Amino acid sequence: METLLLWLFYISSLYAFIPGLITRLFGFRVFRRGLSDSRFALTFDDGPDPVYTPQLLDLLKRYDAKATFFVVGSNAEKNVDLIKRMHEEGHLIGIHNYIHKTNWLMRPATVKRHIQKTSGIIQAVTGVKSIYYRPPWGIVNLFDFAKRGDTQIVLWSAMFSDWRVRIGADKLTQRMMKKLRGGEVFLLHDCGSTLGANRGAPGEMLIALERVLTEADRKGLKSVRIDDLIHITETAKLEKKGGPAPVDGDKAARSGAKPASRSKKIVVSLWLLWEKVFHQLFHLQSTNEENPLLHFRIRPYHGEPVEMNGGVKLKSGDRIMELHFDNKRLYEFGSRSKSPVQLAIKMVRGMEKELPKLADHIANHPDLHDVKALYGVSMINKGPEQFGFTVTDLPKGWFASSSRLYLKFLMRVVHPEGGARLKQSAEHLVPKLIVMPIDHLVSHYMQDDSKRKMNGNPEVVPEEEPVLNASVSCP
């Protein structure tokens, strides 16, 4: 039961909850707000609808406003003429899956088929391949980030519950007026037949939208397509970078490390809160409660046999000590490092201190004498062998693929310069299984004043210290 709960926790957190939290709160790897004083974006989901979409197109034409339509593929198939009209009148057409179903409830391959099928429908009508994608309800999963090279995920900065007819045109107008300013991305709906929506709700939206467009004209604001707002935003960012660098007397700035932004600090706080919950649920321990680098738990190994150092073989059912890095220490190491080499050196020094503590802990707890191996998943391939670990490929499958995406995702979010680090070390970020026989740990890393025999094996004292590589793993 504990193993089942662990996997459910992993899957729900890594596949859905964490990616959704980061994108919705902080806009990680998605576009949801622009930088402009006079341009904003109107976006419409769930259509096209044969009743309301033509009225919407008429309204936009009267005000010379451009918009982005995230269409449901099955609706687009039924209303090809409306797709053609959207394109001819200068609007951008994006993808909203083939049917309106959350990505959390579909396999990655199914989501991919939805996107490809809808894109194919749009391209067949317009001759243009759509790369702009909004997942239904704005809910992303871990694998949505893998499609970043093919698609641009677009969310929103303002939504108004316009799918509910009871909101009414007057209240909807008030809500939209409060958000009417440059850079905003409005989420609206031109179809009311989606599950949870009211059929007549788009009629109320159209009344409110006309009032908003009138006010926008008065204020000198213009609605533009999402691709145009993205271009305006990127240009504004480049102009800002061309200005003088801010003066920062912070210690991180003096040391050459880039200080974390406020949003990333919030992300890190949320991540560390999640880590505490994880530790409590699965009873993780540490040999250093005040400032731990490694946490561990004892559990049976489930997997293919792995041959370790000394010819020792790890088999399914053997007890293992599963290692987890402390994410707070990991973040501190990264945020205070000027380069990947400096980060690696700090990790090496940390491991040099932690492995003897693990050895002493096992030797001093008789109930752990039957633990056969240390076990972890490494995100960097060079270095663990120097400590005595055996490094081997993870079995191909969902866990290996999701681990790679998750580690890249985590590095980008948690590390102040995660994107740059990822580009510098992308070839190393292939998750590997790392294992070390407990006998090797005890004989090589136990403190000199407490070396002892364990499980009838004579102590082995290495002739010299292992040579350490400046690139270490993160189990």
Side-chain angles (χ1 to χ4, degrees), residues 257-397:
K258 182 180 177 181
S261 65
R262 181 174 178 273
S263 62
K264 283 197 174 182
K265 288 179 179 178
I266 296 174
V267 171
V268 171
S269 297
L270 291 171
W271 174 252
L272 296 180
L273 178 62
W274 176 87
E275 184 181 46
K276 286 183 180 179
V277 174
F278 179 86
H279 286 186
Q280 290 178 358
L281 281 175
F282 300 105
H283 310 292
L284 265 64
Q285 305 174 57
S286 175
T287 59
N288 180 3
E289 295 297 334
E290 293 184 0
N291 193 25
L293 176 63
L294 291 174
H295 301 274
F296 63 86
R297 71 183 187 117
I298 309 300
R299 71 170 183 87
Y301 171 69
H302 299 291
E304 297 296 322
V306 178
E307 187 168 337
M308 302 180 288
N309 284 343
V312 181
K313 184 167 287 188
L314 178 65
K315 303 185 296 294
S316 182
D318 289 338
R319 293 182 81 200
I320 57 174
M321 176 179 278
E322 181 183 86
L323 302 179
H324 298 265
F325 261 123
D326 184 89
N327 286 321
K328 183 178 180 181
R329 291 286 300 280
L330 192 62
Y331 175 72
E332 290 174 351
F333 283 167
S335 62
R336 296 172 183 173
S337 300
K338 298 179 183 179
S339 68
V341 172
Q342 192 176 84
L343 172 61
I345 292 172
K346 290 180 179 179
M347 298 292 289
V348 167
R349 290 173 179 170
M351 288 296 291
E352 287 176 323
K353 294 178 181 178
E354 287 293 316
L355 290 176
K357 294 176 183 177
L358 289 176
D360 285 348
H361 181 82
I362 289 175
N364 292 319
H365 288 76
D367 58 321
L368 300 182
H369 285 187
D370 63 340
V371 172
K372 197 165 186 179
L374 294 183
Y375 167 95
V377 175
S378 167
M379 66 183 288
I380 302 176
N381 299 337
K382 296 180 180 179
E385 299 98 334
Q386 312 304 327
F387 289 105
F389 285 99
T390 297
V391 181
T392 184
D393 292 334
L394 284 171
K396 292 183 178 180

Side-chain angles (χ1 to χ4, degrees), residues 195-257:
L195 180 66
N198 302 133
R199 191 69 187 88
E204 300 295 317
M205 182 275 293
L206 288 170
I207 295 171
L209 180 59
E210 183 162 14
R211 298 169 182 170
V212 170
L213 287 173
T214 300
E215 179 65 11
D217 275 355
R218 190 186 70 79
K219 290 184 173 181
L221 297 171
K222 192 74 174 177
S223 174
V224 298
R225 298 165 23 145
I226 277 293
D227 55 347
D228 290 331
L229 186 58
I230 290 175
H231 177 72
I232 292 169
T233 301
E234 290 176 346
T235 301
K237 287 180 178 179
L238 287 174
E239 290 175 352
K240 284 188 175 182
K241 286 182 179 179
V247 177
D248 191 340
D250 184 81
K251 179 181 178 182
R254 292 195 301 270
S255 67

Side-chain angles (χ1 to χ4, degrees), residues 68-196:
T68 302
F69 291 84
F70 290 98
V71 301
V72 174
S74 57
N75 290 339
E77 277 184 326
K78 300 172 188 175
N79 299 279
V80 172
D81 289 345
L82 290 175
I83 298 295
K84 185 177 181 182
R85 182 182 171 187
M86 290 174 189
H87 177 67
E88 290 176 346
E89 294 183 1
H91 303 294
L92 183 65
I93 304 173
I95 301 163
H96 201 47
N97 282 359
Y98 182 74
I99 60 173
H100 201 279
K101 185 176 182 180
T102 174
N103 290 7
W104 283 5
L105 300 180
M106 294 190 290
R107 295 179 303 163
T110 305
V111 175
K112 184 177 181 180
R113 285 197 299 271
H114 274 248
I115 294 173
Q116 291 177 340
K117 189 171 183 178
T118 305
S119 178
I121 294 168
I122 296 169
Q123 188 170 4
V125 177
T126 67
V128 177
K129 182 180 180 180
S130 178
I131 64 168
Y132 297 94
Y133 174 57
R134 175 175 287 165
W137 292 290
I139 294 175
V140 300
N141 64 50
L142 183 62
F143 287 89
D144 288 329
F145 297 130
K147 298 186 286 289
R148 180 68 185 272
D150 300 324
T151 58
Q152 168 66 63
I153 300 176
V154 178
L155 297 184
W156 58 85
S157 61
M159 68 175 179
F160 313 98
S161 300
D162 66 309
W163 59 87
R164 297 172 181 165
V165 72
R166 64 180 177 81
I167 298 296
D170 292 342
K171 186 177 290 187
L172 191 54
T173 301
Q174 292 175 4
R175 292 180 178 182
M176 292 170 69
M177 290 295 192
K178 289 180 180 178
K179 292 289 186 177
L180 184 59
R181 53 180 172 264
E184 295 289 341
V185 178
F186 281 23
L187 168 62
L188 297 166
H189 298 78
D190 60 331
C191 179
S193 61
T194 306
L195 180 66

